Amino acid sequence: MVKDQNLTDEQWKAIRENDKRYDDDFFYAVKTTKIFCRPSCKSRVPNFDNVTIFYRRDDAQKAGYRPCKRCKSGGYQLPDEEWVLQAEAYMKENYSNYLTLAIIAEGCHGSPYHLHRVFKRVNGITPLEFVLQIRMDKAIHYLKHTDKSIKEISTLIGMPNAAYFSTTFKNRTNMTPRMFRENYKKEVLRDEK
């Protein structure tokens, strides 16, 4: 696998300026998104420290990077189902951060409208509903297996407003987080008898 550890000034300039003239010379991969792009890709300019250079798309894929849907760095258009899997992986990795549809789409190198439409068609729910499911599943885990406060849990799952978290949790489970925790503890004690 041919990988350049040192991103040159010329390559960095090509990435920042989306210079098409370099598209046949190299690909750049972004560690945080696990996606590789052509220098001309119109996605947001990545953090310099997160960029790895590859001279062949096969090498980027062997290193675990996925082709970009926006610039078609894989040499073909990424199937919608594969793009949705990328979006799911991105959301699972970043659920604890502030996420909007625009941020998710940017992280997956596509437009918010297209991601929303494709994701809902493939999964039956929107990307933001998917993130909320992840957050609620994580909250349930924390409520069952830790003594962390409701405020700590809400922050850990990417919902720093504890009141909003509690309201959302109750809307989905018909119990406040505190009630859920108490009921779970009672069930565990009952099962131990």
Side-chain angles (χ1 to χ4, degrees), residues 11 13-26 28 38-42 70-71:
Q11 290 167 331
K13 184 176 185 225
I15 293 166
R16 282 191 340 265
E17 296 176 1
N18 309 115
D19 195 331
K20 289 182 180 192
R21 294 176 298 170
Y22 291 86
D23 278 0
D24 294 328
D25 295 346
F26 70 93
Y28 72 93
R38 301 172 190 273
S40 65
C41 189
K42 298 292 185 192
R70 182 175 285 168
C71 69

Side-chain angles (χ1 to χ4, degrees), residues 31-42:
K31 294 173 193 165
T32 53
T33 62
K34 299 301 283 175
I35 294 174
F36 73 95
C37 298
R38 301 172 190 273
S40 65
C41 189
K42 298 292 185 192

Side-chain angles (χ1 to χ4, degrees), residues 14 20 56 78-79 95-96 99 104-105 118 123-124 130 134 148 160:
K20 289 182 180 192
R56 296 178 8 171
L78 197 61
Y95 72 89
S96 62
L99 290 177
I104 296 165
V118 169
N123 283 345
F130 185 81
I134 294 168
K148 294 185 183 304

